[in-house]
Amino acid sequence: MLLIPAIDLKDGQCVRLKQGDLKDATVFSDRPGEMAAHWKAQGARRLHVVDLNGAVAGRVKNEPAIKAIIKSAGNEMPVQIGGGIRDLDTIERMLDDGASFVVIGTAAVKNPGLLQDACVAFPGHIIVSIDAKDGKVATDGWSKLSGHEVIDLAMKFEDYGVESILYTDIGRDGMLTGVNLEATLKLAQSVSVPIIASGGIASMKDINALCKIEDEGVTAAILGRALYEGHIEFKKAQKRADELAAKS
């Protein structure tokens, strides 16, 4: 189980939100590059970066901070970037900037052809993000609920050739209420591409539970507020996840 620290960017600062509400942001650092270096020193093997302003605006808004993070991460710690990435030119620019993966969310739902084209143009580099509440997919920085069912959309995206699916229960994100294990497992059992779990992971109990379903295809988990507020110590958590994987 790969544990991935999240860095959410708002106005050039590292923040955490509750249920995606930009008005409810807690600032953890105004030096994104240093935050990336911190997680690298803790042994992180990948970083998840979200441009929150970009997700709402529909275009990347925190590129200087993103570049600082990628520079600090270096070649040893791949970075996946999401938020406001809505066209092939932006995907190419993010990859040229040094990102290893680009996360497409809203654009994949509203313009499936873009996702399909991206998977063809940049094979192995495209992660699709499915953000959901009560089984329905959300878009536009989680501000709108679509009529799409999570599993139906996931199966379509799998056919396009996405590298993995990042699944977030937005009702739990930033709330430290525990991961939606049932929905995550159901999704993993419905497709063959790897699932990255996100939203509500609060303690080692959640990580232990996710490790138990790793064989079902849940291969990674995004950690946010629980790390920044000290509920989970990253180095110990990754070591524990590795030990559980070795036993299985």
Side-chain angles (χ1 to χ4, degrees), residues 55-142:
V56 175
R59 63 186 187 279
V60 174
K61 301 286 281 185
N62 284 283
E63 196 159 357
I66 291 170
K67 287 182 176 179
I69 288 169
I70 291 171
K71 184 177 179 181
S72 288
N75 295 325
E76 313 89 67
M77 185 170 64
V79 178
Q80 57 190 52
I81 306 285
I85 298 173
R86 310 278 165 89
D87 56 66
L88 289 175
D89 287 343
T90 305
I91 295 170
E92 186 171 26
R93 193 169 82 245
M94 291 295 101
L95 294 173
D96 286 345
D97 282 347
S100 296
F101 305 97
V102 171
V103 182
I104 304 177
T106 294
V109 180
K110 292 188 168 183
N111 182 11
L114 169 67
L115 180 66
Q116 198 166 17
D117 290 345
C119 289
V120 171
F122 311 106
H125 296 283
I126 305 300
I127 296 171
V128 69
S129 175
I130 298 181
D131 306 321
K133 188 173 185 179
D134 301 325
K136 299 293 185 182
V137 176
T139 63
D140 299 277
W142 300 354

